[in-house]
Amino acid sequence: MAGFTFARNTAFNWHGRPYRIEQINPDESFVLHCLEDGSVSSAEKNRLLEAYVKSELEFSTSHKDEDANTYCRPFEEIDEIKITEMRRRMAYINGVRELEYGDKTVGKTEQIIETVSISNEDDHPPCYTTLTRWQKRNQLAGGDVRSLVPRTDKRGPRCRYQPERVTELFEESFIDALKKSPKATVKDVRTLLLKKLKAENEFRPKDQQLRLPSRATCYRMLDDIDRFEVAVLRDGKRLASRKYKLVGKGVQTKRILERYEIDHTPMDVFVVDEKTFLPLGRPLLTIILDHNSRMPVGYYISFSAPSAAVVQAALKHAILPKTLTKVPGLQTQNEWICWGIPEQIVVDNGLEFHGSAMEYLAFNLYIQLMFCPKHEPQFKGAVERYIKTINYQCAHLLPGMAFAKYYERKDYDPLKHAVFTLNELKAIVEKWMLDDYAQSIHSGLGVSPYSKWKKGLETVTPNLPKDIDQLSPVFGIPIIRSLRKDGILVNRIRYSDSTLQPILSKYGPGVRVTAVYDPHDLGHIRVFEPNNNERYVRVNAVNFEYANGLTSNQNEVIQKKLRDDGKDSSDSDAIMEERIALQEFIEGCMQNRKHSVRRKAARIKSPVMGGQHGNSAEKKARSVPRRGRSKKYDRPSSRSEGSQMNTFKFVRNVK
């Protein structure tokens, strides 16, 4: 009978220690002998039974070699041929089991073997010795039928044919080859191995010479090398650790608005200009995702490079209640119910996330700003995965789709198929996020992100700033400037009006104040009074007609043009003339046949500055390349002339 019983000399493991029953007392208690340290103890039978039920007690046998022959993998993985052979062996063992104990002689057993072979039409019945071996193996396995599965995987030699020294030299050659080039092949490894074998054979007798393994043998030897070590040599330790590192549960959040994750990505779709309908390029998407519900809470799409202003625009969209983008013929069925100040924001180590702008925003809104370790994107894996989802399930289904890898395009030209403007793309993205992604069952949540967020609102009440005007100084670029009698100079624009008089009278000329400007609109700034963290005043630009609605990026282009021409930036007539010329220049660029010209013009036209990455507003503005056509600035009329100019440049009468 299969199984075990608490009898004398029964061995088992209890809490990881080996025991053997030495004696059974009349009260059914046991005297146990610990095989590890030789100690003797007693135990109640009920206590051992309870330990057995809790899997704390494990029976063991002393025949480890025979027990190791049992097929331990799941029964479903056994192929049909082995199953047939296992059933054949079971038939002979079951036939012998029917005999009485005294009748299990060699003659009786051979008669049973013959009877079973005839009934099963087996032309090759086992002999008495083979059947006895099958019985013993099955008995040692506790009656487990898997012990009768043929172990064909154990056939063959137990050691390699290659000498140990050849294996060592092969591993050395493999390491040397990959150190020279991560793209080294087995052919390169064999070349180095041949040199090492020749050097080794010089000191060996003729009858102990080492031979070069065949190419097939080298491939088998390569398979025995640790794959992680191979990846370290090919890709480096950082990438190898990321590829082979076992992933745990990851970050766990208990409520919505607990953790936001932010990241950027170029969208895999080309957009066109609203007037000329010429393709402009792939816009940059900044997305903010709530980790608990996997619900997108805010985004920003523009042609600007990643910057602090782009991040702040996306955060402002995430925190405030949403107004959906409206496009004729496209209507979103579900409302965007996500808004509120988060507890924590997780970002990477991009320059746009470092410095005073993001610190100022996080401090004023009581948000914990957390940076991921360098080169460890898995610390904000939710938004990283969402970026792939929005590109593959939304952008890749639109006309003008750009493949993630350019060589996959083949004959497909996304510039010729692009039809959507930037505003239409925003409406499409919003509809996909709210009506498709948010309503689909998330594999990691088991529910849809929309319902998860809605359920979270039952226990969490989103917070908003006390005053909507408070967002204006919060979402902006802070900068330290001196207040003089003529006002404050920011981005070569002077700001001064009567609201500054109380500060100037109280602290005197030259006092250092904090000014916050909006990169979307340089028409005004907000100035905080020294030693007062709550009070600020709004100050308009002296030349308000020029600065109103002007973006920081456009102002950089105009100011650089004035410096190149040697003009005074304080001349109001000159700067207004340059602003009008810039608008005409952008319109001219939008009609240029070259895609690179139109894209650069779109960056200048973008409402968010792209020249300053990060938070120091006192960085020198990078020169923005430009080319265009207006009444003052002509552009080349032919493609050959345009190709000679590597960057945009305002010039007079280009010939």
Side-chain angles (χ1 to χ4, degrees):
M1 179 178 179
F4 296 89
T5 183
F6 290 107
R8 189 177 179 182
N9 294 327
T10 301
F12 55 87
N13 292 329
W14 190 14
H15 295 296
R17 303 183 67 183
Y19 290 90
R20 185 175 67 241
I21 299 178
E22 292 289 336
Q23 181 179 341
I24 302 177
N25 298 324
D27 59 352
E28 294 189 347
S29 62
F30 302 111
V31 177
L32 305 180
H33 176 218
C34 181
L35 302 180
E36 186 176 59
D37 55 10
S39 61
V40 178
S41 60
S42 62
E44 299 291 337
K45 184 177 181 180
N46 292 336
R47 184 182 177 189
L48 294 180
L49 291 174
E50 183 180 355
Y52 173 76
V53 172
K54 294 181 178 179
S55 300
E56 298 175 356
L57 187 146
E58 179 184 5
F59 287 99
S60 60
T61 63
S62 58
H63 305 280
K64 295 295 182 182
D65 295 336
E66 290 82 352
D67 194 35
N69 290 325
T70 301
Y71 193 91
C72 297
R73 298 185 69 86
F75 191 82
E76 291 76 8
E77 293 187 9
I78 307 175
D79 59 64
E80 191 62 32
I81 296 178
K82 292 182 179 180
I83 290 289
T84 303
E85 176 62 21
M86 180 193 69
R87 290 172 178 170
R88 169 178 170 268
R89 296 179 180 184
M90 288 174 57
Y92 288 103
I93 292 177
N94 291 333
V96 175
R97 283 177 180 173
E98 296 177 358
L99 293 176
E100 296 293 338
Y101 182 77
D103 295 337
K104 292 183 179 180
T105 61
V106 176
K108 290 287 186 179
T109 303
E110 289 180 346
Q111 291 180 6
I112 294 297
I113 293 175
E114 183 179 358
T115 302
V116 174
S117 63
I118 295 174
S119 62
N120 292 338
E121 299 180 356
D122 185 7
D123 297 333
H124 303 283
C127 64
Y128 173 82
T129 305
T130 301
L131 179 58
T132 303
R133 187 175 67 251
W134 292 348
Q135 288 178 303
K136 182 179 179 181
R137 184 185 302 173
N138 183 252
Q139 183 180 4
L140 291 174
D144 192 344
V145 295
R146 291 178 298 179
S147 62
L148 301 177
V149 175
R151 297 305 304 271
T152 56
D153 56 304
K154 286 195 170 186
R155 294 176 181 174
R158 296 295 181 265
C159 60
R160 289 194 171 277
Y161 292 116
Q162 294 297 326
E164 184 178 352
R165 183 55 181 164
V166 175
T167 304
E168 293 176 358
L169 292 176
F170 176 82
E171 293 178 357
E172 293 177 6
S173 302
F174 178 73
I175 294 174
D176 293 342
L178 289 188
K179 284 183 177 179
K180 291 181 179 180
S181 172
K183 298 296 183 180
T185 62
V186 173
K187 181 180 179 181
D188 302 323
V189 177
R190 292 186 76 233
T191 302
L192 294 177
L193 178 60
L194 180 61
K195 295 179 181 179
K196 292 181 181 293
L197 289 176
K198 288 182 178 180
E200 181 78 14
N201 288 332
E202 291 181 0
F203 303 97
R204 285 177 170 266
K206 290 186 177 180
D207 59 340
Q208 297 182 11
Q209 295 286 303
L210 301 177
R211 298 176 57 185
L212 178 67
S214 66
R215 187 167 183 173
T217 301
C218 288
Y219 274 108
R220 287 193 293 269
M221 295 170 69
L222 178 61
D223 290 337
D224 291 339
I225 299 178
D226 193 333
R227 308 314 300 170
F228 175 75
E229 299 297 335
V230 176
V232 169
L233 294 172
R234 290 191 182 276
D235 306 324
K237 187 174 181 179
R238 179 177 60 86
L239 294 178
S241 299
R242 183 188 303 177
K243 182 178 181 180
Y244 288 90
K245 183 179 180 180
L246 188 64
V247 179
K249 293 179 64 175
V251 178
Q252 301 293 317
T253 51
K254 299 180 180 179
R255 55 191 176 276
I256 62 173
L257 294 167
E258 180 180 351
R259 176 188 173 101
Y260 280 2
E261 297 180 1
I262 307 179
D263 205 358
H264 312 282
T265 182
M267 294 200 69
D268 291 343
V269 63
F270 282 79
V271 298
V272 300
D273 182 60
E274 296 180 356
K275 295 182 179 179
T276 64
F277 295 101
L278 293 175
L280 299 177
R282 297 166 59 189
L284 179 78
L285 169 66
T286 301
I287 192 72
I288 304 178
L289 193 77
D290 177 70
H291 182 272
N292 179 261
S293 64
R294 300 299 197 274
M295 186 73 185
V297 294
Y299 78 101
Y300 191 80
I301 301 179
S302 71
F303 285 97
S304 299
S307 64
V310 168
V311 176
Q312 290 185 350
L315 280 172
K316 187 174 183 179
H317 183 257
I319 292 176
L320 294 180
K322 312 293 189 293
T323 300
L324 299 180
T325 304
K326 295 184 179 180
V327 171
L330 187 65
Q331 185 177 0
T332 303
Q333 302 298 326
N334 298 278
E335 297 181 359
W336 205 339
I337 57 177
C338 303
W339 50 269
I341 301 175
E343 301 176 18
Q344 182 185 82
I345 295 178
V346 183
V347 297
D348 54 31
N349 281 275
L351 293 177
E352 66 272 16
F353 298 114
H354 286 274
S356 57
M358 287 298 295
E359 291 178 1
Y360 177 81
L361 183 149
F363 180 79
N364 280 273
L365 293 180
Y366 300 96
I367 299 175
Q368 180 186 4
L369 191 61
M370 179 176 292
F371 294 92
C372 297
K374 293 183 179 180
H375 309 296
E376 299 290 345
Q378 66 270 19
F379 280 83
K380 52 180 181 63
V383 71
E384 294 282 353
R385 184 61 182 86
Y386 181 78
I387 282 176
K388 181 178 180 180
T389 301
I390 195 172
N391 269 325
Y392 278 72
Q393 297 186 12
C394 178
H396 284 193
L397 303 179
L398 302 177
M401 177 267 291
F403 289 87
K405 299 178 179 61
Y406 73 93
Y407 54 81
E408 294 179 349
R409 297 179 185 177
K410 298 181 181 179
D411 292 336
Y412 179 82
D413 187 359
L415 298 178
K416 294 181 180 179
H417 294 80
V419 295
F420 293 118
T421 65
L422 187 62
N423 196 56
E424 291 171 341
L425 178 62
K426 292 179 181 179
I428 292 173
V429 168
E430 290 176 0
K431 181 172 180 59
W432 176 84
M433 287 192 297
L434 298 179
D435 292 347
D436 187 351
Y437 168 80
Q439 308 302 326
S440 303
I441 301 298
H442 192 282
S443 59
L445 301 176
V447 296
S448 66
Y450 195 89
S451 61
K452 180 73 172 180
W453 179 277
K454 204 167 183 179
K455 182 70 175 178
L457 291 177
E458 298 177 1
T459 56
V460 177
T461 302
N463 292 327
L464 288 173
K466 296 180 180 178
D467 186 359
I468 190 65
D469 292 334
Q470 186 183 359
L471 289 177
S472 298
V474 170
F475 291 100
I477 307 300
I479 191 171
I480 306 297
R481 285 293 183 265
S482 295
L483 173 59
R484 303 187 304 183
K485 292 191 296 183
D486 56 350
I488 300 175
L489 187 66
V490 178
N491 295 329
R492 294 184 175 271
I493 300 177
R494 189 160 300 282
Y495 297 86
S496 179
D497 59 25
S498 58
T499 56
L500 288 175
Q501 187 60 51
I503 300 178
L504 185 65
S505 300
K506 184 176 181 180
Y507 298 96
V511 62
R512 304 285 284 180
V513 296
T514 299
V516 180
Y517 69 91
D518 185 358
H520 302 76
D521 184 5
L522 300 181
H524 66 275
I525 62 174
R526 295 180 180 265
V527 179
F528 283 84
E529 181 180 336
N531 303 326
N532 192 328
N533 294 327
E534 290 79 19
R535 186 173 181 272
Y536 61 86
V537 294
R538 172 171 171 160
V539 184
N540 292 328
V542 174
N543 191 354
F544 185 76
E545 184 181 3
Y546 162 74
N548 185 33
L550 187 71
T551 67
S552 204
N553 201 12
Q554 295 168 356
N555 181 59
E556 291 176 10
V557 177
I558 294 174
Q559 295 294 340
K560 186 178 185 303
K561 177 60 177 63
L562 292 173
R563 291 194 302 270
D564 294 342
D565 292 348
K567 294 183 179 180
D568 185 4
S569 60
S570 61
D571 186 351
S572 59
D573 294 334
I575 61 177
M576 277 301 300
E577 184 181 355
E578 294 296 339
R579 179 171 181 178
I580 296 173
L582 177 63
Q583 294 174 351
E584 296 176 352
F585 147 74
I586 294 175
E587 293 178 0
C589 287
M590 289 299 184
Q591 300 176 4
N592 196 298
R593 291 185 298 172
K594 296 189 68 175
H595 169 247
S596 59
V597 176
R598 298 192 300 271
R599 179 171 178 81
K600 291 175 181 178
R603 290 178 180 174
I604 299 176
K605 187 179 179 181
S606 178
V608 176
M609 64 179 181
Q612 290 180 342
H613 296 274
N615 321 289
S616 176
E618 297 177 283
K619 291 180 181 178
K620 290 185 178 180
R622 298 186 307 175
S623 58
V624 180
R626 50 201 184 274
R627 178 190 299 160
R629 176 176 61 183
S630 65
K631 294 181 180 178
K632 290 180 62 178
Y633 310 114
D634 298 329
R635 66 175 175 85
S637 58
S638 65
R639 184 178 294 271
S640 60
E641 290 179 326
S643 62
Q644 297 174 2
M645 302 180 64
N646 297 327
T647 60
F648 280 117
K649 188 175 182 181
F650 283 144
V651 293
R652 295 181 182 274
N653 301 323
V654 176
K655 296 182 180 180

